């Protein structure tokens, strides 16, 4: 990797502004790409809210803290529907996320003022700020849509000109008519109801539906950058470029770096001691991220399925989504006592990358969010998956096709699943002969996602495009 001073004074140094949506599944990849841009010798200004930036800063190595300019813009005061300190999707109930988008739109004036005063070469923006491309164009600033979604999601959801094509949830249950190749990538009914309600519909007065936000950003940007790579989904990246009639450039999957230094906290030493006591590839790592919270019924079946499987497990349990969550979930009575000899339930924060990379972890039971998938593949851990929200269903279909993860069987209408389906799925992927294909295929894909030289070349090509086309 080039030293971050390589480009000083040679006329190729860029100033890139990053403006992600207020969700950690978006802000984190924006920060990862910011770090790589800065390490290559360019100036980065990262715009978000004060609380979000304070939560992101611990992820930044000390040598980069001076070369990334964090721009803290406070959200305008809304109509008080948002909780206090509600600055990210993880801070607010799902039904109030539209109000977060409304106050996010209120950043239009301060973002414009920052762009006018700083005169960057590029703005890399997320799907939500549909109002930004015309502003950037007026100021003579090039705009890139940096998609935290992968190419399959972009290819499935909507190209311009097809607004009236899908009018009901059932329309999302088969691949859309613009996909020219055979594929099984589509939503199940229980998944597409959420997409139809949240992505397509005018759910809150004053909020612009996501379908129009994405459409406005894609129509107005100069280029689409995607957190992905050709080795994973060349056909979807090519289709998106064909549909949108503008360059679609993968920046690589931005995998976790193996050489990042971690501090040995008391928390990690406790976790490590327990993991060290387990056999290689014997433990199921259970985590559903910051956004998804299983219902009480779902949590019961997950817990009883883990118990039924007989497998060791390390479960990072989140019982509430935030302080506003008045319906915390609880483990079944006696579950922890009955599984104490082989399982650990961890109720606090844990260093996911270090935990995932531990040799004792043999399987990840998780939601198929794109960031989580990348981390699991990076450390060659096959997945058993439960879809909860957003684009996870599409991600799961791609993973199923590649046989690096297994979707726990569910009722396709309501999404119900049982403890038996959880237990059988875990044993299939982790220990049974039939599941060997998942264990082998994820090792092979790790050869792509974990190849730092290959992924670094994607970043170099991306930066070359920025320099050439500013």
């Amino acid at each position: 990797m080039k030293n971050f001073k390589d480009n000083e004074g040679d006329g190729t140094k860029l100033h890139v502004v990053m403006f992600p949506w207020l969700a950690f599944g978006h802000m984190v990849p924006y920060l990862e790409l910011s770090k790589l841009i800065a390490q290559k010798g360019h100036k980065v200004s990262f715009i978000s809210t004060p609380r979000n930036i304070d939560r992101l800063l611990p992820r930044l190595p000390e040598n980069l803290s001076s070369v990334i300019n964090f721009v803290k813009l406070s959200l305008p005061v809304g109509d008080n529907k948002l909780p206090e300190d509600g600055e990210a999707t993880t801070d607010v109930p799902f039904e109030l996320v539209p109000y977060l988008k409304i106050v996010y739109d209120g950043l239009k004036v301060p973002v414009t003022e920052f762009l006018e005063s700083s005169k960057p070469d590029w703005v890399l923006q997320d799907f939500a700020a549909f109002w930004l491309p015309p502003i950037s164009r007026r100021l003579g600033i090039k705009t890139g849509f940096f998609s935290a979604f992968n190419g399959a999601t972009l290819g499935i959801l909507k190209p311009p000109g097809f607004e009236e094509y899908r009018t009901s949830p059932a329309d999302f249950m088969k691949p859309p008519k613009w996909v020219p190749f055979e594929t099984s990538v589509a939503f199940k009914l229980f998944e597409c109801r959420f997409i139809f309600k949240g992505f397509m519909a005018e759910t809150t007065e004053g909020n612009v539906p996501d379908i129009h936000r994405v459409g406005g950003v894609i129509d107005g940007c100069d280029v689409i950058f995607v957190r992905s790579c050709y080795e994973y989904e060349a056909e979807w990246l090519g289709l998106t470029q064909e549909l949108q009639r503008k360059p679609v450039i993968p920046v690589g999957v931005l995998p976790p770096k193996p050489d990042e230094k971690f501090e040995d906290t008391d928390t990690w030493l406790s976790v490590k001691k327990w993991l060290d006591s387990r056999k290689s590839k014997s433990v199921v790592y259970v985590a559903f991220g910051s956004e998804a919270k299983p219902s009480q019924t779902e949590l019961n079946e997950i817990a009883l399925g883990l118990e039924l499987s007989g497998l060791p497990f390390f479960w990072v349990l989140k019982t509430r989504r935030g302080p506003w969550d008045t319906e915390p979930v609880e483990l079944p009575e006696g579950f922890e006592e009955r599984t104490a000899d082989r399982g650990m339930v961890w109720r606090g924060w844990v260093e996911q990358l270090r935990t995932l990379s531990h040799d004792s972890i043999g399987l990840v039971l998780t939601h198929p969010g794109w960031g989580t998938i990348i981390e699991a593949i990076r450390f060659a851990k096959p997945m058993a998956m439960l879809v909860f929200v957003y684009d996870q269903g599409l991600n799961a279909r791609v993973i199923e096709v590649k046989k690096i993860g297994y979707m726990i069987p569910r009722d396709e209408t309501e999404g119900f699943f049982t403890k038996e389906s959880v237990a059988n799925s875990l044993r299939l992927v982790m220990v049974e002969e039939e599941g060997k294909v998942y264990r082998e295929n994820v090792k092979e894909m790790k050869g792509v996602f974990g190849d730092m030289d290959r992924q670094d070349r994607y970043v170099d090509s991306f930066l070359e495009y920025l320099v050439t086309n500013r």
Side-chain angles (χ1 to χ4, degrees):
M1 181 177 283
K2 295 178 185 176
N3 182 280
F4 70 78
K5 294 204 176 287
D6 280 358
N7 291 316
E8 291 279 5
D10 65 1
T12 62
K13 188 167 183 178
L14 297 166
H15 179 194
V16 181
V17 168
M18 310 292 272
F19 187 46
W21 164 235
L22 305 176
F24 280 91
H26 293 244
M27 290 184 281
V28 169
Y30 269 74
L31 182 63
E32 290 305 309
L33 189 57
S34 297
K35 285 155 63 172
L36 293 168
I37 294 170
Q39 284 170 328
K40 300 287 187 174
H42 304 285
K43 180 182 176 183
V44 178
S45 294
F46 189 103
I47 301 176
S48 194
T49 67
R51 186 162 182 251
N52 288 332
I53 287 173
D54 289 344
R55 287 183 284 188
L56 288 169
L57 281 174
R59 296 173 178 267
L60 199 65
E62 281 184 28
N63 66 314
L64 291 179
S65 57
S66 62
V67 291
I68 296 179
N69 172 35
F70 286 95
V71 182
K72 294 183 175 181
L73 298 180
S74 297
L75 292 171
V77 178
D79 54 10
N80 296 322
K81 284 191 171 65
L82 295 176
E84 188 178 355
D85 293 332
E87 297 184 16
T89 53
T90 190
D91 301 329
V92 304
F94 282 121
E95 64 271 18
L96 295 187
V97 169
Y99 293 99
L100 188 63
K101 289 183 177 131
I102 291 169
V103 295
Y104 179 77
D105 293 340
L107 294 175
K108 180 176 179 177
V109 169
V111 167
T112 302
E113 289 172 349
F114 177 77
L115 295 178
E116 285 173 336
S117 63
S118 60
K119 298 181 174 57
D121 300 290
W122 280 89
V123 174
L124 299 194
Q125 68 157 96
D126 215 330
F127 79 94
F130 66 99
W131 37 265
L132 186 51
I135 294 168
S136 301
R137 187 179 301 112
R138 175 174 62 80
L139 296 174
I141 302 165
K142 288 294 184 75
T143 305
F145 168 37
F146 173 39
S147 173
F149 307 112
N150 58 24
T153 301
L154 293 176
I156 286 283
L157 283 180
K158 174 201 162 278
F162 283 89
E163 286 82 355
E164 306 304 319
Y165 165 49
R166 293 181 287 186
T167 57
S168 73
D171 294 330
F172 286 81
M173 293 175 62
K174 53 185 181 288
K177 60 189 179 185
W178 56 78
V179 179
F181 46 82
E182 285 293 316
T183 181
S184 58
V185 179
F187 290 103
K188 307 290 187 188
L189 180 56
F190 73 92
E191 298 165 350
C192 69
R193 280 179 176 156
F194 184 92
I195 283 290
F196 190 78
K197 181 182 175 185
F199 187 73
M200 301 287 287
E202 183 86 54
T203 53
T204 304
E205 187 178 346
N207 181 41
V208 175
D210 287 353
I211 191 80
H212 298 313
R213 291 178 180 274
V214 177
V217 171
I218 287 177
D219 290 347
C221 71
D222 297 293
V223 57
I224 299 168
F225 299 112
V226 187
R227 186 190 188 186
S228 190
C229 61
Y230 292 120
E231 295 87 347
Y232 184 77
E233 52 172 3
E235 72 277 22
W236 289 109
L237 294 167
L239 173 63
T240 303
Q241 180 162 297
E242 209 174 286
L243 292 170
Q244 308 302 351
R245 297 185 178 88
K246 57 186 63 182
V248 172
I249 297 173
V251 302
V253 297
L254 311 179
K257 290 282 191 290
D259 55 354
E260 289 194 358
K261 299 292 184 285
F262 297 97
E263 197 178 322
D264 283 336
T265 60
D266 291 343
T267 295
W268 168 247
L269 292 174
S270 298
V271 171
K272 183 176 183 298
K273 182 180 179 182
W274 189 88
L275 293 172
D276 286 347
S277 71
R278 300 291 149 179
K279 292 179 183 174
S280 174
K281 297 182 174 49
S282 69
V283 177
V284 180
Y285 175 63
V286 187
F288 297 105
S290 58
E291 299 288 337
K293 183 188 117 181
S295 67
Q296 184 63 62
T297 301
E298 291 169 336
L299 187 84
N300 290 345
E301 298 304 319
I302 292 167
L304 296 174
L306 279 167
E307 184 176 352
L308 190 60
S309 75
L311 297 168
F313 63 87
F314 181 83
W315 189 349
V316 182
L317 179 65
K318 188 169 185 177
T319 58
R320 304 167 74 189
R321 283 194 70 236
W324 43 265
D325 187 347
T326 56
E327 298 180 359
V329 290
E330 297 178 0
L331 291 170
E333 190 174 346
F335 168 77
E336 286 183 86
E337 292 77 10
R338 294 192 302 271
T339 58
D341 61 328
R342 60 181 170 87
M344 176 178 271
V345 177
W346 190 270
R347 287 177 169 79
W349 182 80
V350 72
E351 292 178 66
Q352 175 153 303
L353 296 182
R354 289 180 96 175
T355 309
L356 260 182
S357 65
H358 196 282
D359 181 61
S360 69
I361 302 295
L363 169 68
V364 185
L365 171 56
T366 188
H367 64 90
W370 184 218
T372 298
I373 289 169
I374 289 168
E375 291 175 359
I377 295 173
R378 166 69 187 84
F379 297 113
K381 313 295 183 182
M383 289 160 274
M385 301 175 289
L386 285 168
V387 167
F388 292 102
V389 292
Y390 308 130
D391 57 330
Q392 292 175 3
L394 299 181
N395 294 338
R397 297 302 96 72
V398 177
I399 291 293
E400 287 179 301
V401 168
K402 295 181 182 296
K403 288 195 178 296
I404 50 182
Y406 182 78
M407 185 85 164
I408 292 174
R410 301 172 76 160
D411 175 89
E412 296 205 0
T413 302
E414 300 297 336
F416 299 136
F417 58 91
T418 65
K419 62 184 180 183
E420 289 81 10
S421 64
V422 172
N424 293 340
S425 300
L426 296 179
R427 293 197 61 81
L428 169 72
V429 181
M430 185 99 148
V431 296
E432 290 175 10
E433 184 63 27
E434 190 185 342
K436 187 177 180 183
V437 62
Y438 300 99
R439 302 191 290 273
E440 293 302 318
N441 285 355
V442 80
K443 285 183 200 166
E444 192 176 323
M445 190 58 73
K446 181 198 173 182
V448 174
F449 283 30
D451 182 340
M452 293 303 168
D453 289 337
R454 185 196 308 249
Q455 296 302 326
D456 202 44
R457 287 195 293 274
Y458 275 105
V459 176
D460 283 337
S461 297
F462 151 75
L463 283 169
E464 187 179 338
Y465 183 91
L466 293 187
V467 169
T468 305
N469 295 278
R470 61 178 161 180

